[in-house]
Amino acid sequence: MEGFRVLEIKKSVFENNDREADKLRQELKKEKTFLLNLMSSPGSGKTTTLKATIAALKDEMRIGVMEADIDSDVDAHTIAETGAKVIQLHTGGMCHLDAGMTKQGLEGLGTENIDFAILENVGNLVCPAEFDTGAVKNAMILSVPEGHDKPLKYPLMFSICDVLLVNKIDVMPYFDFDLEKCREYVKKLNPDITIIPISARTGEGIDRWADWLRTQVAEWNK
Amino acid sequence: MEGFRVLEIKKSVFENNDREADKLRQELKKEKTFLLNLMSSPGSGKTTTLKATIAALKDEMRIGVMEADIDSDVDAHTIAETGAKVIQLHTGGMCHLDAGMTKQGLEGLGTENIDFAILENVGNLVCPAEFDTGAVKNAMILSVPEGHDKPLKYPLMFSICDVLLVNKIDVMPYFDFDLEKCREYVKKLNPDITIIPISARTGEGIDRWADWLRTQVAEWNK
């Protein structure tokens, strides 16, 4: 086995998820740990983006990753190779994580020596949008092959995110993806969102994304 | 407005979804209506595949489509242009359809004059796999850009489907997608599944897919 453990997380028993999420954020603030909740469809490149993100930031901050999956370990293996601290969370069939489940994951990961914790949420544009995980910021990835109409179809997800990464821009010539239309749809739902086009594979745009993260982490630790 | 109506479907009240699903299949058998449940991630090409499917089969059978979405109408507009009978189902935030919800959709669509009904389920590889909709067969689409490791991460979805369409094979040269590895992962979960590589955009493989559907519809009406 590589350097990570697998945690079977339990359904939360809290009645008020929003309250639990706020409490978790207060704890993270005290510990000076910034938590990012990363969401997307299956296959839009969350893990590849994480690898590029870790490579860009690992010399500046101590990074910890929680890989949430229904029941596989593939992503945790990939992230363990980067040298970042990683834990695999199994949701036991559940399609999202709430604050109580995220807290279990953070306890499993151990946040004392982590500056920047990332939750790679279950690949799903519906359910994860409905639950505040306690993260400081919400990020989502939309990849070019998925199409620019996705904000129209999954509006809640695009509404609750602070930043949208438009990934796989290297394959733009082979798809009918209209970045301007995408931007227009997204901004109508969420005027304050930051949109960063990237290619996790070629590295394009990763510097801008890393800068955005640096600013957020610094802001959180003020 | 184009030729479709929008139905806000209600949460089902039935305790035993499997029993409701079996009842629905019996009714469909009596009416000689074949129901296909089509599932996939967001953006893997369900609607484009449906358009190609309708074009291939509309002269042989009367086709009706139920477009399930959280709350948009984009797909129903696209399908209405094909001339097929279509109804838009709004799930009110719900990430899947069960048999009771599918029954509401079929009643809204009207099945008396439909030989082949298709439910385009909510774009999601998790929740829709957990509920028998009452469909005669389950189909799913995995698109090349999503990656060949998806069966490892969403095993239930791949286990419950009768047929897997591997879509967007026209962009295979631009992605690291290993069709043989994909086939191996899928067959380990589900040895009886039929796997058909297609490109809904170029039409490649649609003839084999249409043949598979012809056989299933004929079998159902025996």
Side-chain angles (χ1 to χ4, degrees):
Chain A
M1 274 301 277
E2 280 163 47
F4 66 86
R5 71 186 184 92
V6 176
L7 185 66
E8 309 290 334
I9 49 179
K10 287 165 200 69
K11 220 168 181 158
S12 300
V13 289
F14 304 111
E15 267 177 46
N16 189 331
N17 182 60
D18 287 345
R19 194 162 53 206
E20 290 306 313
D22 285 336
K23 264 171 58 184
L24 183 54
R25 259 186 299 274
Q26 284 164 21
E27 290 167 26
L28 290 167
K29 182 86 183 169
K30 256 186 261 166
E31 291 179 7
K32 290 183 177 288
T33 301
F34 177 88
L35 174 62
L36 182 80
N37 175 24
L38 182 60
M39 297 172 284
S40 84
S41 297
S44 61
K46 284 191 297 301
T47 311
T48 313
T49 302
L50 268 188
K51 273 177 67 180
T53 308
I54 293 166
L57 295 173
K58 69 175 175 187
D59 295 336
E60 305 164 41
M61 43 185 100
R62 295 167 299 177
I63 303 175
V65 176
M66 296 177 281
E67 285 293 338
D69 270 302
I70 309 291
D71 66 2
S72 89
D73 303 341
V74 243
D75 292 341
H77 281 283
T78 309
I79 296 300
E81 288 167 13
T82 66
K85 202 171 173 186
V86 58
I87 187 169
Q88 177 73 53
L89 310 182
H90 280 173
T91 65
M94 271 179 294
C95 53
H96 69 275
L97 275 88
D98 61 17
M101 294 155 82
T102 306
K103 195 174 150 67
Q104 294 170 47
L106 286 166
E107 284 165 1
L109 184 67
T111 48
E112 319 78 47
N113 301 311
I114 299 290
D115 306 306
F116 177 25
I118 306 163
L119 168 64
E120 185 180 330
N121 216 312
V122 181
N124 185 327
L125 289 188
V126 185
C127 322
E130 293 166 18
F131 294 86
D132 187 343
T133 57
V136 184
K137 296 285 171 184
N138 289 316
M140 74 167 289
I141 303 178
L142 172 69
S143 65
V144 164
E146 294 171 64
H148 57 254
D149 63 342
K150 290 303 155 294
L152 302 176
K153 302 183 62 183
Y154 305 93
L156 183 62
M157 177 58 82
F158 289 83
S159 305
I160 59 131
C161 281
D162 302 286
V163 61
L164 164 65
L165 302 176
V166 179
N167 190 23
K168 305 191 188 178
I169 54 166
D170 55 308
V171 296
M172 198 86 91
Y174 315 114
F175 291 90
D176 312 316
F177 187 93
D178 188 330
L179 187 56
E180 275 321 299
K181 232 175 224 170
C182 177
R183 209 185 292 271
E184 184 191 308
Y185 294 153
V186 173
K187 288 280 181 178
K188 201 177 276 177
L189 290 165
N190 185 350
D192 298 328
I193 198 169
T194 301
I195 301 174
I196 309 178
I198 64 163
S199 166
R201 190 161 59 167
T202 68
E204 202 181 336
I206 295 296
D207 47 351
R208 202 182 142 202
W209 164 233
D211 271 346
W212 187 89
L213 287 168
R214 276 184 199 100
T215 311
Q216 303 304 321
V217 173
E219 186 72 28
W220 185 242
N221 290 328
K222 256 190 202 162
Chain B
M1 275 302 276
E2 280 164 45
F4 66 86
R5 71 187 183 93
V6 176
L7 185 67
E8 310 289 335
I9 48 178
K10 286 163 201 71
K11 219 168 180 160
S12 300
V13 289
F14 303 110
E15 268 178 46
N16 189 329
N17 183 61
D18 287 346
R19 192 162 55 204
E20 290 307 313
D22 283 337
K23 263 169 61 182
L24 183 54
R25 260 187 298 275
Q26 284 164 21
E27 289 166 29
L28 289 166
K29 182 87 183 169
K30 255 185 260 165
E31 290 179 8
K32 290 184 177 289
T33 300
F34 177 88
L35 174 62
L36 182 80
N37 175 25
L38 181 61
M39 296 172 286
S40 84
S41 297
S44 62
K46 285 191 297 302
T47 312
T48 314
T49 302
L50 267 188
K51 273 176 69 180
T53 308
I54 293 166
L57 294 173
K58 69 177 175 186
D59 295 337
E60 305 164 41
M61 44 185 101
R62 294 166 301 177
I63 303 176
V65 176
M66 295 177 282
E67 285 294 339
D69 271 301
I70 309 288
D71 67 1
S72 88
D73 303 341
V74 242
D75 293 341
H77 280 284
T78 310
I79 296 300
E81 287 167 11
T82 66
K85 201 171 174 187
V86 58
I87 187 169
Q88 177 74 53
L89 311 182
H90 281 173
T91 64
M94 271 179 294
C95 54
H96 69 274
L97 275 88
D98 61 16
M101 294 156 83
T102 306
K103 194 172 150 68
Q104 292 171 48
L106 286 166
E107 283 165 1
L109 184 68
T111 47
E112 321 76 47
N113 300 311
I114 299 289
D115 306 307
F116 177 26
I118 306 164
L119 169 64
E120 185 181 328
N121 216 313
V122 181
N124 185 327
L125 288 188
V126 185
C127 322
E130 293 167 17
F131 294 86
D132 187 342
T133 57
V136 184
K137 296 284 170 182
N138 289 317
M140 74 167 289
I141 302 178
L142 173 69
S143 65
V144 163
E146 294 170 64
H148 58 253
D149 63 342
K150 290 302 155 295
L152 302 176
K153 302 184 61 184
Y154 305 92
L156 183 62
M157 178 58 83
F158 288 83
S159 304
I160 59 131
C161 280
D162 302 286
V163 60
L164 163 66
L165 302 176
V166 179
N167 191 22
K168 306 191 187 178
I169 53 166
D170 55 309
V171 295
M172 197 85 91
Y174 315 113
F175 291 91
D176 312 314
F177 188 93
D178 188 329
L179 187 56
E180 274 323 298
K181 229 175 226 173
C182 176
R183 207 185 293 271
E184 184 191 309
Y185 294 153
V186 174
K187 288 279 182 179
K188 199 178 278 178
L189 291 166
N190 186 350
D192 298 328
I193 198 169
T194 302
I195 300 174
I196 309 178
I198 64 163
S199 166
R201 191 162 60 167
T202 68
E204 202 181 336
I206 295 297
D207 48 350
R208 200 181 143 202
W209 164 233
D211 271 345
W212 186 88
L213 287 168
R214 275 183 201 103
T215 311
Q216 303 304 322
V217 173
E219 186 72 27
W220 185 242
N221 290 327
K222 254 189 205 162

